[in-house]
């Protein structure tokens, strides 16, 4: 469950952390769209080379590397099975591109979630005229990620104490070993959700429509710069995708 760490906010003093959440949301959506526009190795490698310095600026490189290590089994699974089952002319080339696309998507969203506090996200959504209930749900979901990770580790320790060997065997056996973790985790999550719902009802959630807030987010010049640069980048990438042929790295199997 180490891959969940890319969705957990880390308190740092960095350039990326100081940006407005709305500017980072636009940048993240643009980077995710760019990663979905291509299924070739060359542009995806360029995108990753663009994302890694941003992670370094956010002082979150170590946490990202740890999450990628936790995701390595899934990436290997995608690489092997797509190579064996793909009908493309260069199946290995296609599989590597899929893996790079997944890494790029994870990195794009991790750059947002690692640097945006749940309260800031909620406030940003409210100032974007999103209903408070939806903003509150998003904030709660972000807060629940570290709790979900802790519950998963506790279940894994309990299963190991009962003699379940989670870290042994081939890839297929390790995938089957996830079932004794996922099922209890789903049950615990449902119980926790019901408990939160009862707690919210007891506190009169939604009874008052007029809400006040301690702080309001202010869009600064640097935030406008990020938004404008993101839009220009998206337009440039779409133009390249439609009109400029890119070099292909075809890897024969």
């Amino acid at each position: 469950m180490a891959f969940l760490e890319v969705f957990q906010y880390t308190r740092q003093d960095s350039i990326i952390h100081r940006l407005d959440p709305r500017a980072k949301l636009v940048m993240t959506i643009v980077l995710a769209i760019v990663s979905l526009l291509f299924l070739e190795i060359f542009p995806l490698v360029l995108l990753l080379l663009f994302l890694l310095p941003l992670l370094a600026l956010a002082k979150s490189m170590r946490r990202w590397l740890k999450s990628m290590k936790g995701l390595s089994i899934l990436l290997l699974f995608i690489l092997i099975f797509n190579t064996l089952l793909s009908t493309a002319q260069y199946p290995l080339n296609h599989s590597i591109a899929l893996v790079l696309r997944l890494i790029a998507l994870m990195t794009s969203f991790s750059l947002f979630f690692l640097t945006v506090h749940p309260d800031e996200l909620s406030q940003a959504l409210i100032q974007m005229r999103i209903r408070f209930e939806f903003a509150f749900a998003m904030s709660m979901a972000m807060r629940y990620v570290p709790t979900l990770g802790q519950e998963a580790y506790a279940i894994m320790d309990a299963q190991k104490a009962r003699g379940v060997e989670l870290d042994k065997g081939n890839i297929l056996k390790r995938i089957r070993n996830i079932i004794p973790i996922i099922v209890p985790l789903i049950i615990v999550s449902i119980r926790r959700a019901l408990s939160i719902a009862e707690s919210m009802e007891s506190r009169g959630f939604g009874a008052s429509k007029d809400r006040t807030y301690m702080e309001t987010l202010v869009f600064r010049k640097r935030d406008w710069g990020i938004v404008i640069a993101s839009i220009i980048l998206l337009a440039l990438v779409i133009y390249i995708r439609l009109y400029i042929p890119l070099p292909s790295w075809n890897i024969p199997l």
Side-chain angles (χ1 to χ4, degrees):
M1 293 296 174
F3 68 91
L4 289 176
E5 295 201 14
V6 295
F7 300 108
Q8 182 179 352
Y9 170 75
T10 53
R11 190 179 299 277
Q12 298 282 358
D13 183 18
S14 70
I15 298 173
I16 306 297
H17 280 76
R18 289 193 291 270
L19 291 173
D20 191 282
R22 291 165 290 182
K24 285 185 279 190
L25 181 61
V26 173
M27 181 177 66
T28 298
I29 292 173
V30 167
L31 292 173
I33 292 173
V34 171
S35 64
L36 292 173
L37 283 174
F38 297 99
L39 195 55
E40 295 86 15
I41 294 177
F42 180 72
L44 291 171
V45 169
L46 288 181
L47 179 60
L48 283 174
L49 291 177
F50 176 77
L51 286 167
L52 292 179
L54 294 179
L55 280 172
L57 286 174
K59 301 179 181 179
S60 303
M61 183 66 74
R62 183 178 298 179
R63 187 177 288 274
W64 177 80
L65 289 172
K66 186 177 180 181
S67 65
M68 288 299 108
K69 183 180 178 181
L71 201 64
S72 58
I73 295 178
L74 176 61
L75 297 176
L76 185 62
F77 179 82
I78 293 172
L79 182 65
I80 293 173
F81 275 79
N82 273 281
T83 303
L84 295 176
L85 303 176
S86 177
T87 58
Q89 183 179 2
Y90 298 97
L92 183 58
N93 189 83
H94 181 72
S95 301
I96 293 174
L98 284 174
V99 170
L100 290 175
R101 175 188 276 183
L102 179 58
I103 294 174
L105 277 171
M106 288 285 292
T107 306
S108 301
F109 286 104
S110 66
L111 187 65
F112 178 79
F113 288 106
L114 286 170
T115 59
V116 176
H117 193 275
D119 291 340
E120 291 181 347
L121 175 62
S122 176
Q123 186 62 35
L125 292 174
I126 290 168
Q127 290 184 217
M128 291 169 66
R129 307 300 181 185
I130 304 296
R131 290 186 60 183
F132 172 76
E133 290 80 4
F134 180 77
F136 180 79
M138 287 290 294
S139 176
M140 286 292 295
M142 282 187 65
R143 291 179 183 276
Y144 187 62
V145 169
T147 305
L148 186 66
Q150 293 172 4
E151 294 284 359
Y153 283 119
I155 292 170
M156 289 171 66
D157 291 338
Q159 297 290 18
K160 288 179 181 179
R162 291 179 174 87
V164 179
E165 297 179 347
L166 301 174
D167 301 326
K168 293 184 180 181
N170 54 31
I171 294 178
L172 293 177
K173 186 176 180 181
R174 290 192 180 189
I175 293 172
R176 287 197 298 269
N177 289 339
I178 296 177
I179 297 175
I181 301 172
I182 295 297
V183 174
L185 189 61
I186 292 173
I187 296 172
V188 170
S189 300
I190 293 173
R191 288 178 178 175
R192 188 176 294 274
L194 292 174
S195 176
I196 292 173
E198 291 175 358
S199 177
M200 291 168 62
E201 287 181 3
S202 66
R203 287 168 172 78
F205 180 81
S208 175
K209 300 297 181 182
D210 299 326
R211 305 187 61 87
T212 57
Y213 305 97
M214 263 183 81
E215 299 177 358
T216 56
L217 300 173
V218 179
F219 225 67
R220 298 181 174 86
K221 291 181 180 179
R222 63 191 180 195
D223 302 313
W224 282 113
I226 292 294
V227 172
I228 294 170
S230 299
I231 294 172
I232 293 173
L233 174 64
L234 180 59
L236 180 62
V237 168
I238 292 175
Y239 177 81
I240 292 173
R241 181 71 178 86
L242 294 175
Y243 300 107
I244 299 178
L246 295 172
S248 58
W249 295 350
N250 295 324
I251 305 173
L253 186 61

